[in-house]
Amino acid sequence: MVTPKTTPKEILKCIRLTATGGTITLIAHDSEIGLSVSLPCDSTEDIDIVVDPVRLTGVIKDAKADDVKLSMDGLNLLIQCDGKAKLGTTAAIEFPPMVSDRGDLLWTVDGEMLANALRKVSPAADPAPSGGRTAMAGVLFDNGPTLVATDSKVLIAVTLSGVEHAKIEDRFFTCLTVKACKAIASIAAGEVAILRDENRIVARGDGWSLSAPLIQGKFPNYEKVLDPGRKFPNVLPVVTADLGLMLKRAAIFNDVESVGLEVTLSADAISVDNRKNGGEFASSIPASYTGEPMTLNVDPNLIGKAFDAAGDTAEMRLVDDSSMIYIEAGNMRAAVMPLEKRA
């Protein structure tokens, strides 16, 4: 999750394992993200070593015994569970120090809700932002509290409910890498505290903490894009799985990123047609659309990211056939840029 597969520092492929005072602690970091996990143990000797996590996991994961006994024989780690195994280790002094896990409290949030929100917004981040927009490579932690990501073509924001939070004064500067967000999402459970110091975000739960650097740069003002006070004359409730599947089928064998798919909205149906793009797909599903009949040209991959974040149902809101497509479902809001219409 944190240990890198490739790195010029081979020791970072390993983890630091310490056992003392009734606690065993595992520490990993890739020179940016640091993760510490602590568990209770019955310790009879102090241990402080660096070990290969793949080999250690390989010994332990298939063990049928409930308890695992660790002890040292020189620099070899002895492991006793179903049988006995011996792993070579490195002295802990060779391992880089753990990055800071301190900061001022921003949020106290349910871990599952946080993990779900991070999974929803992260796909919208820009993997290779240009023009100095480095913050768009990650996820913004904003007041609300709200998580936001965008690549300028699709924007997804999720507001967390029932969360104790402090006001963030320097808004649009608290951005975390997608890798760090995925790491938090994979481990978050129970109550999670989100802290921030000048340069880092810390997520801390029961027995674990993760520290990651903030992305340098300012995130765009997403509220101007979402514009919650805007009135929409055209509204379409959708079952996201039905429309998403139809778009995916139509997209097969088509260069949809450059020319898009035509989606026609009428009072009682949504129709998709890729025949103008050399395809052979045309289909429709029932709908209950309120507004002017119109035809949109969309990239199904972008719409798909918003639908994945929305869940089972959502509401599409439109000003006209060439403006942003707004999608809302519960605490999730998204804006998707349509493609230029084909002649």
Side-chain angles (χ1 to χ4, degrees), residues 34-38 98 101 187 202-211:
L35 174 65
S36 172
V37 179
S38 297
M98 176 64 178
D101 63 352
I187 197 172
V202 175
R204 184 182 295 157
D206 184 15
W208 64 271
S209 67
L210 184 145
S211 176

Side-chain angles (χ1 to χ4, degrees), residues 16 34 41 57 72-73 78 80 88 90 105 131 174 180 188 239 259 276-277 285 296 300 313:
R16 182 174 181 177
C41 71
T57 302
M72 294 301 298
D73 177 13
L78 304 180
Q80 298 181 55
T90 302
L105 181 64
T174 307
V239 176
V259 297
K276 285 186 178 180
N277 192 30
I285 56 175
L296 311 170
T313 60

